[in-house]
Amino acid sequence: MTDSAEKRTESVESTLTDSDAGRSGVTTDRRSVLQSLGLLGVAALAGSGVATAQEATVPTAGKAVARSGQEVPAGDQWTDLQYDATVFETGSFDVENGYFVAPEDGLYAVSVSNEVDAMQDGVQCHNAVAVNGERVATESVVGTAEIDLSTTVTTVVSLSKGARVKSQMRHTADGPIALDQGAQKVNLAVARLAPETGGMIRRTSAQDVPGDESWTAVEFDGTTFDTGGVTDAANGALVAPSDGLYVLGTGVRFDGVGDGSRYTGGITVNGDGADSVVAQETTLGTADGTAVSAQATTVAQLSEGDEVGCVARQNAGETATVGTSTAGTFLFAARVGDAGGQPAMRAYLSGDPDANVPNAWYPPKWDGESFSTGGIELVGAGSDGETPEGVPGYLTISEAGYYLIGMNVEVGDVPDQARIVTQLRNGIGYQDGIARNGVVGADGNTLSTHVATVEQIQEGATVGGTVWTDKPGDFTLNGGEATSYVYAVKLGDVPQGPTTTLTPMPTPADPTPTPTETATENSDETPTETATGTGTSSSSGPGFGVVAALSGLGALGAARVGWKRFTDEAE
């Protein structure tokens, strides 16, 4: 399905260009800064001819997108996804080869969104975040009636300098599947977290979840990383080592699902019952015997000693299993700042179910606040559903920087084969979409859809999310602090001045070879890969100095690519 049907349901909006100073979310300030970067690059070249990095800052983030379509070949083998432009970056993306290169050791937030065009009925599709060829977090979805379907993964990873981050996909279709095109539909975004405190645990063996829809605590038995004493290996949980603001996330992969049944994964704080759940996603089984994932992220204010866990439930009537894929069931927590100073907000739907969802992009009317720090404000709804100063359902950002933005919406009584799409926006127009997730309803069930992304946001920008459906009717947006919410949290500042280029692209500083995929099997029956080839380390010879000098010009070029996204997005 193309965007034409979706765009026709959008309110008529004027097309703004570079000269429109009032452009929401993208201001002339951004252009001034980016142009300055380019001039600084020119100044470096005009000097002695040898680049010096004493005034440069280390690049910390980037977001690559696919403006053109691509195919993922048949064969159920992991395939690296490709990109052809950057929305923003500070020198760490090798767009041609589709990966982000870590500029230094540290913790990084990673988000990927991928929309598959006309997913065939019963086809199993898996999406992964991979670090140096090893998958650390995955999501599994199943196609329905050749309806467009999305996969999204958000996680925190611990990277060494030079490590490469990619998005990968595999599927069970007889022929290739096609990914849609557009910045909000296919993207990979990464940003470094300032604090060095975080941990990630995973389930590495099968665990049963009963089919009576009771909450079951996931018993984690493996550690992906731990910096700052976050993981409690003995109890399979994460513990906050200090007071602060934390990004939390989980993914639960259910195997052996039943058609039409509900599968939920949730994040808990200080307990494993319903009252302890702070975020959850519910997905539907659409074909017997397949695998589906439920993933959720959120931001929370934690006190020292607070325990973060994961729970799962399902209503198929028969036992399902989790933990059969080592990257499919995971839990992470990362401290991103002090609870009182770091810009962050979490808002939610608190009232009765909203039955007014039209066949148009519709902003949920967030009417409750979990917390707000650092000056972020919620644009509330007036009595007529709108306010004179803005559009309800959005957040106004107080400080420029790199942000993690996320939204989860629970939808009730969804008609069979109804397509529900949630879209995050940096601005209030359709063309301001930055990430999306699309799911398909079945038999009047209740489900939810979660989407999150890393984005560069300007001071005063309006960000938020919208919901769209192709079958408006009797279904509702359900309220609940853990089920229907939106959040934004600042991860770090945008570097000012020229940025260093760590190594001549495309060779990463780390000599890890690029893997060549083979169809061997793990014990969990998922394909793995065997790495072949020879890695090449970087050099600091004369050519590297020129590359560093050109980094300012490179930043300007990347900025122009990003700016074009807001003026001539061809979707």
Side-chain angles (χ1 to χ4, degrees), residues 13 74 83 102 130 145 176 208 210 226 239 277 321 332 338 411 475 486 495 510 570:
E13 303 175 51
Y83 308 93
D208 290 342
D226 183 11
V239 179
V277 177
T321 58
F332 66 82
D338 296 332
V411 187
F475 69 92
V486 66
D510 185 286

Side-chain angles (χ1 to χ4, degrees), residues 153-349:
V153 183
T154 301
T155 189
V156 170
V157 295
S158 178
L159 301 180
S160 299
K161 180 179 179 179
R164 289 161 297 159
V165 179
K166 291 185 177 183
S167 176
Q168 297 180 329
M169 183 175 286
R170 67 182 176 95
H171 63 87
T172 61
D174 293 335
I177 63 173
L179 297 188
D180 218 328
Q181 60 189 48
Q184 77 273 46
K185 296 181 180 180
V186 179
N187 55 69
L188 166 63
V190 187
R192 187 174 185 271
L193 308 182
E196 295 297 324
T197 302
M200 184 177 183
I201 52 182
R202 63 186 184 273
R203 178 74 191 185
T204 62
S205 58
Q207 177 185 345
D208 290 342
V209 177
D212 59 2
E213 210 163 13
S214 59
W215 287 112
T216 298
V218 177
E219 300 171 355
F220 294 96
D221 54 10
T223 299
T224 303
F225 71 87
D226 183 11
T227 60
V230 176
T231 64
D232 179 359
N235 296 305
L238 302 174
V239 179
S242 61
D243 297 353
L245 193 64
Y246 287 76
V247 171
L248 311 177
T250 190
V252 180
R253 170 174 153 167
F254 295 85
D255 284 89
V257 306
D259 189 6
S261 300
R262 295 191 301 271
Y263 299 85
T264 304
I267 303 168
T268 61
V269 175
N270 296 330
D272 55 14
D275 294 340
S276 303
V277 177
V278 297
Q280 67 181 61
E281 184 188 41
T282 298
T283 189
L284 300 180
T286 58
D288 289 334
T290 54
V292 296
S293 296
Q295 298 198 3
T297 62
T298 190
V299 60
Q301 294 175 318
L302 300 182
S303 300
E304 181 179 353
D306 280 350
E307 186 173 293
V308 180
C310 171
V311 290
R313 67 180 181 180
Q314 52 101 4
N315 71 344
E318 298 180 353
T319 298
T321 58
V322 300
T324 56
S325 170
T326 55
T329 300
F330 58 87
L331 175 71
F332 66 82
R335 190 177 186 276
V336 293
D338 296 332
Q342 191 84 349
M345 170 175 271
R346 190 182 191 277
Y348 61 94
L349 293 175

Side-chain angles (χ1 to χ4, degrees), residues 13-44:
E13 303 175 51
S14 60
T15 302
L16 302 182
T17 64
D18 294 15
S19 61
D20 293 305
R23 179 69 167 158
S24 176
V26 184
T27 66
T28 53
D29 292 340
R30 172 187 280 187
R31 297 169 65 194
S32 297
V33 170
L34 294 168
Q35 288 169 351
S36 297
L37 292 178
L39 292 175
L40 287 166
V42 173

Side-chain angles (χ1 to χ4, degrees), residues 440-537:
V440 180
D443 303 326
N445 254 313
T446 295
L447 57 85
S448 52
T449 173
H450 182 84
V451 60
T453 192
V454 171
E455 183 73 0
Q456 180 179 330
I457 307 294
Q458 300 302 303
E459 179 181 352
T462 301
V463 302
T466 54
V467 182
W468 176 87
T469 180
D470 60 350
K471 292 185 178 180
D474 297 331
F475 69 92
T476 61
L477 295 182
N478 295 340
E481 191 169 4
T483 56
S484 294
Y485 58 87
V486 66
Y487 69 86
V489 56
K490 185 177 180 181
L491 303 179
D493 293 319
V494 178
Q496 302 298 308
T499 56
T500 59
T501 300
L502 298 178
T503 178
M505 294 299 183
T507 305
D510 185 286
T512 305
T514 300
T516 298
E517 307 294 354
T518 63
T520 57
E521 295 286 331
N522 287 321
S523 58
D524 61 0
E525 298 183 354
T526 58
T528 184
E529 71 277 341
T530 302
T532 61
T534 303
T536 305
S537 59

